[in-house]
Amino acid sequence: MSPHTTSTPRFLDAVRPGRTHWLELPSHRTSVRVARHATQARLDSWQVPDEACANAVLVVSELVTNAVLHTPGERILCGVGRMTAERFRLEVHDGDLTGRGIPDCRPALDDEGGRGLLLVREIADSWGVTRSPLTGGNAVWASLATTQCP
């Protein structure tokens, strides 16, 4: 299955058409790279500054990695929306219908993984998890500013 743009940006519904981009991706590790590149390209087209773009690419990489590695399902949805000139939002919707949500992970110092959401927490202005109206699974979202505060 190859990624493709979906036509139903219902979750980012506060965004005007042309200011939202969705990808439907297979739940495979290769989708992380596709999501990174697609996010980079969309933010570049919106002329988002390099630092904010790099932060967004890191956040989407962590969110898609978590969806691929830790949730069941055959597909994930990855969305980016320009909320205002100063703010954009990233969303990753998975197919986890168990209702268990995202576990609170506290990795040990020598653990190789488990720090993705800690990075998201540090980089994003706000973030959260809710049930996805698009997949019925988890929708993990993060809001970022297009510029850094001094």
Side-chain angles (χ1 to χ4, degrees), residues 17 89 132:
R89 180 176 165 124
S132 170

Side-chain angles (χ1 to χ4, degrees), residues 51-67:
E51 186 176 356
C53 202
N55 285 339
V57 168
L58 178 57
V59 167
V60 83
S61 181
E62 294 299 335
L63 297 182
V64 172
T65 296
N66 284 348

Side-chain angles (χ1 to χ4, degrees), residues 63-113:
L63 297 182
V64 172
T65 296
N66 284 348
V68 168
L69 294 180
H70 303 297
T71 63
E74 295 181 13
R75 68 183 181 112
I76 57 171
L77 295 176
C78 183
V80 59
R82 185 83 185 251
M83 307 308 284
T84 66
E86 296 82 27
R87 181 157 312 286
F88 59 94
R89 180 176 165 124
L90 304 166
E91 296 179 10
V92 174
H93 299 242
D94 65 41
D96 186 355
L97 302 178
T98 66
R100 64 183 174 192
I102 305 297
D104 186 20
C105 185
R106 299 184 197 281
L109 289 176
D110 59 346
D111 286 348
E112 290 185 24

Side-chain angles (χ1 to χ4, degrees), residues 4-91:
H4 64 277
T5 303
T6 64
S7 61
T8 53
R10 291 177 288 175
F11 203 65
L12 285 167
D13 60 358
V15 181
R16 294 187 311 264
R19 312 240 320 156
T20 304
H21 183 73
W22 286 94
L23 289 174
E24 181 175 357
L25 301 165
S27 188
H28 297 129
R29 291 177 190 245
T30 57
S31 292
V32 177
R33 181 176 48 84
V34 173
R36 281 195 312 259
H37 290 292
T39 300
Q40 176 82 45
R42 183 57 54 167
L43 294 177
D44 284 347
S45 77
W46 291 336
Q47 298 178 344
V48 171
D50 290 344
E51 186 176 356
C53 202
N55 285 339
V57 168
L58 178 57
V59 167
V60 83
S61 181
E62 294 299 335
L63 297 182
V64 172
T65 296
N66 284 348
V68 168
L69 294 180
H70 303 297
T71 63
E74 295 181 13
R75 68 183 181 112
I76 57 171
L77 295 176
C78 183
V80 59
R82 185 83 185 251
M83 307 308 284
T84 66
E86 296 82 27
R87 181 157 312 286
F88 59 94
R89 180 176 165 124
L90 304 166
E91 296 179 10

